[in-house]
Amino acid sequence: MRKIVIIGGVAGGATAAARLRRLDESAQIIMLERGENVSYANCGLPYYLGGAITDRSRLFVMTPQLFQNNLSVDVRTRHEAISIDPLSKIVHVRNLVDGSEYSETYDSLILSPGAEPIRPRIDGLNDPRVFTVRSVPDIDRIKEFVDSRRPRRAVVVGGGFIGLEMAENLHARGVTPILVEAQDQVMTGLDFEMAAVLHQHMVDQKLELFLSETVVAVAQAADRLKVVLKSGKEIPCDLVVLAIGVKPESSLAKAAGITLDERDYIVVNDKMQTSAPSVYAVGDAVCIHSPLLGTSTVVPLAGPANKQARIVADQIVLGEKAPRYQGSIATAIAKMLDMTVACTGLSEKACARAGLAYSSVTVHPSHHAGYYPEAKPFSLKVVFDPNTGRIWGAQAAGFDGVDKRIDVLAAMIGMNAHVRNLEEFEHAYAPPYSSAKDAINYAGFIAGNVMNGLTRSAYWHQVDSFIKDGSVLLDVRTAEEFALGHIEGAINISNIELRKRLHEVPRGKNLVVYCGVGIRGYLAERILRQNGFDDVANLSGGFKTYEMAMGLKSYHASAVFTEGSGMPEQLAMRSHDVITVDACGLQCPGPIMQLKSAMDKAMPGSRLLVKATDGGFVKDAKAWCNLTGNLLVGMEQNAGIYTAIIEKAAPALVPMNTPMQNSMVVNGNEATLIVFSNDLDRALASFVIANGAAATGKKVTMFFTFWGLSVIRKTENISVKKDFMGRMFDLMLPRSVHKLALSKMNFGGVGALMMKKRMQAKSVEQLEIMMQSALKSGVKMIACLMSMDIMGVAREELIDGVEIGGVATYLEAASKANVNLFI
Ligand code: FAD
């Protein structure tokens, strides 16, 4: 009869014991556990604090009694192994209840001692209000503190999954968590821009985040605590949870002469054997093989611990027939206030550290068919080797469908899959579950296009250098989307208009095309490439990824309630007339377009209750309200659905809080501009304003009169019969925008030339391009009939698209306008 002693009775130890019994009915199995409990759900501890798990007994998967009764395992809780003698195959044990000591022989010994929370050497950590969490008694203490002391604020130190889960569950108990993380991001298995999705979500949910900050002390502050950061900032709080990582409990193994690595993890082979004969080790205390890196790694997670434990039992009982451990690719997932973040394999950072060739694709699809209710966008990034196509890793963040995609990708990575396998990955599809082309397929399509040279990816972190080296950033979204936010310095030609406006795209320069999420950017890239633009790249993940990473979305949804607290539905009901707009499943600019169209039909004072799932809607709705003068009454997020209440402003109440509105808002939604001057700079100003106003949805009328007629004259000389005065004016009126002079410092035309060069250098569109854009966006250009008559300008001399009108035409437009400028 073989005798097996197991040290540690939770994840690895308990699994090994159960498997051993199933394989060998006659074995003597002794499980030593220092603590009071065995086989409990340490992963469930934060949720017991938060209240998702209400029944404490549910934390215990097996009790010592059940182990004894059901599996005939000799479980000895409160028994600590204090030394191992591998040569004699003896474990020395202390009974922690009575202090007695004894020895136990073994045929095989399994070490599953786990890892303990790191406690840095800083002042103040001995305060009883500073907690760590590893075991049931730990969570009991924290829960008791929260129940009895009703703390208001907690500092959670560490942004790994335990820190995040503790923050979430403190939040669930009404304690405001403040998260402090030494790195510039939480969940370091993710690349920065993917972690940034979660950063934004946490901030939106009123969680304070201190990134790139370390705690240097915890001090008493009256009857509270204060956490002192290296930067000098001090955070008052009522309790502190330390979750800065774990260190292996390997001192027992070390004292027994068992080989450890440089970080004190127990070294094991693929049979999970240590350097000592008949001694095996599993779980958080061991370093294991990384099949991706080909080196050793540590993955202190429950999944690997359980799988290793099963293999050890098999090794002990089945010997050579038993499977060997293939290593871990580190697949992890965490939930944070409805949002899920997950990763598997290597990030770009990890590839860079390891010197591996890598490329990546990022997509932002919906978790199921966009037309099926409550489709929620999520972000998926796949990292791969651009030379071989091997998939290195994947990361995802969102409200739904994240776990499914990461698990599929983890399985594929485990089987050394190629990005081509993603293209053909065949999934179970019906609208409530996914789309006919799933996010995983899309990632594969793009990666495949990268590999065969159909597209070249540019990345958010390269944008600064693109701007510096004079590359042209081409935003191919609509003018509306562009107006709501874009990369500084980008020019805007929507992909729909691109074919017609190719002449506006600078040649001979590196072009970086971008759209909202990458699809239209790719379409534009293909148009450009097939029209002789060779140096084109598409910004991976589009403006959404760039914006997430750059933290432009600093707007906090929770901060906009203007009517006290209340659910958006209740806020909406305070108005007489409520219009519901369901924009769920639509990606930008879909929600804003729906909002605009519903608002156009609404009466002043009525309220719109807009539901959207696109995260960009939070910022866009606010920007749109600012631009249009409507009132954003409230915004909230619940399980990935953003609900905004927007009130159509009564004309007299329209706020004047943006630069554009200061000069423009009187009433109505029209703007009129009288262009009297034929100075180049004044003409420029008039078209900048006209296009800007048109982009915000205004109906714009430009009335060209007297000298302003020059601006709309054709370049070519049109032969028209003129009288003497007409011929005189013909000489005085510059022919077309190309001949306009600056109002100041023209220097015989040199100034105007310099201005044009400067505009080109700064990627400002030339006047003629602005004029074309204005016509395309519906700006009405009217030539003043009376001025034409006086100055002898004929209809044929004016550019196409210009209408002829009298003062009455102008006055009619002006009377409806809320802007009337004389330039
Ligand atoms: P443990 O499960 O920690 O068990 C080790 C046991 O050995 C301990 O009970 C210890 O008392 C005992 N022991 C140590 N030395 C001795 C000795 N000399 N004599 C006797 N007994 C000894 N992982 C995930 O994959 N997903 C999650 O969601 C997740 N959530 C977590 C949440 C929390 C709060 C915590 C703490 C961990 C979480 N983990 C999660 C990690 C996961 O719990 C561990 O990876 C896993 O428990 C490791 O198993 P193990 O057997 O190596 O160690």
Side-chain angles (χ1 to χ4, degrees), residues 7-8 10-12 32-34 42-43 46 79-81 112-114 133-134 161-162 165 249 252 283-284 300-303 305:
I7 300 177
V10 189
L32 304 171
E33 169 53 54
R34 188 174 54 199
N42 16 25
C43 310
H79 282 241
E80 180 176 21
S112 188
V133 49
R134 179 186 182 185
F161 71 92
I162 295 181
E165 289 172 358
E249 286 225 39
L252 200 63
D284 287 1
L301 290 173

Side-chain angles (χ1 to χ4, degrees), residues 345-598:
L346 305 178
S347 61
E348 281 189 315
K349 277 183 309 192
C351 288
R353 272 198 305 270
L356 297 170
Y358 64 91
S359 189
S360 73
V361 296
T362 301
V363 292
H364 305 281
S366 292
H367 85 287
H368 63 217
Y371 54 83
Y372 189 82
E374 302 202 346
K376 296 171 193 167
F378 71 103
S379 303
L380 175 70
K381 176 173 180 175
V382 175
V383 183
F384 62 99
D385 184 329
N387 305 316
T388 65
R390 182 179 181 186
I391 309 166
W392 289 133
Q395 304 154 45
F399 295 99
D400 253 314
V402 165
D403 52 344
K404 167 158 104 168
R405 273 63 183 214
I406 288 298
D407 283 348
V408 165
L409 283 155
M412 289 182 134
I413 294 168
M415 293 174 192
N416 294 323
H418 189 280
V419 287
R420 298 261 183 241
N421 299 121
L422 303 184
E423 292 185 53
E424 288 178 30
F425 158 65
E426 198 176 316
H427 60 295
Y429 160 63
Y433 303 101
S434 55
S435 300
K437 282 180 278 191
D438 187 70
I440 291 180
N441 300 131
Y442 272 114
F445 297 149
I446 302 171
N449 286 341
V450 170
M451 291 202 62
N452 62 25
L454 279 176
T455 182
R456 183 160 64 88
S457 294
Y459 299 96
W460 67 270
H461 51 82
Q462 299 173 319
V463 167
D464 272 354
S465 57
F466 290 141
I467 293 169
K468 281 194 197 112
D469 71 17
S471 302
V472 175
L473 290 164
L474 178 60
D475 186 322
V476 296
R477 297 172 303 156
T478 62
E480 286 85 1
E481 289 170 272
F482 189 77
L484 293 175
H486 55 263
I487 300 176
E488 195 77 29
I491 57 172
N492 177 220
I493 304 174
S494 91
N495 69 314
I496 304 292
E497 295 178 350
L498 188 57
R499 287 188 185 87
K500 280 186 271 166
R501 296 174 61 187
L502 280 173
H503 59 280
E504 297 173 34
V505 182
R507 288 197 178 259
K509 293 202 165 199
N510 178 34
L511 284 172
V512 180
V513 184
Y514 74 88
C515 64
V517 294
I519 298 170
R520 286 173 289 167
Y522 170 63
L523 301 179
E525 183 191 1
R526 294 302 307 151
I527 294 173
L528 290 164
R529 278 181 186 274
Q530 292 173 75
N531 279 281
F533 294 85
D534 299 325
D535 206 356
V536 194
N538 181 26
L539 189 66
S540 183
F543 187 60
K544 187 163 182 172
T545 295
Y546 175 81
E547 197 179 33
M548 273 167 3
M550 301 301 286
L552 296 184
K553 292 162 71 180
S554 54
Y555 162 63
H556 298 183
S558 48
V560 300
F561 286 93
T562 53
E563 291 193 7
S565 59
M567 294 297 290
E569 275 81 359
Q570 292 162 330
L571 290 175
M573 295 315 284
R574 288 175 205 170
S575 158
H576 313 289
D577 188 7
V578 181
I579 301 156
T580 301
V581 180
D582 184 359
C584 291
L586 296 179
Q587 300 240 5
C588 179
I592 287 295
M593 302 304 263
Q594 290 237 346
L595 166 59
K596 182 178 178 300
S597 121

Side-chain angles (χ1 to χ4, degrees), residues 599 624-626 628-632 646-649 654-655 661:
M599 195 58 97
W624 188 85
C625 288
N626 276 340
T628 56
N630 295 296
L631 180 66
L632 181 60
I646 299 171
E647 184 172 303
K648 179 148 183 167
V654 171
Q661 284 162 346

Side-chain angles (χ1 to χ4, degrees), residues 6-15 31-47 76 78-84 91-94 96 111-117 132-135 138-139 161-163 165-166 246 249-252 282-286 299-306 308-309 331-335:
I6 303 171
I7 300 177
V10 189
T15 300
M31 192 158 77
L32 304 171
E33 169 53 54
R34 188 174 54 199
E36 285 167 14
N37 309 295
V38 290
S39 192
Y40 60 83
N42 16 25
C43 310
L45 300 178
Y47 302 97
R76 302 180 191 171
R78 306 293 286 132
H79 282 241
E80 180 176 21
I82 51 174
S83 68
I84 304 165
V91 181
H92 299 284
V93 186
R94 180 178 297 137
L96 297 176
L111 307 178
S112 188
E116 59 182 333
T132 54
V133 49
R134 179 186 182 185
S135 61
D138 292 339
I139 210 71
F161 71 92
I162 295 181
E165 289 172 358
M166 288 304 291
V246 292
E249 286 225 39
S250 55
S251 52
L252 200 63
V282 299
D284 287 1
V286 302
V299 182
L301 290 173
N306 277 276
Q308 293 157 15
T331 305
I333 190 162
K335 174 174 165 290

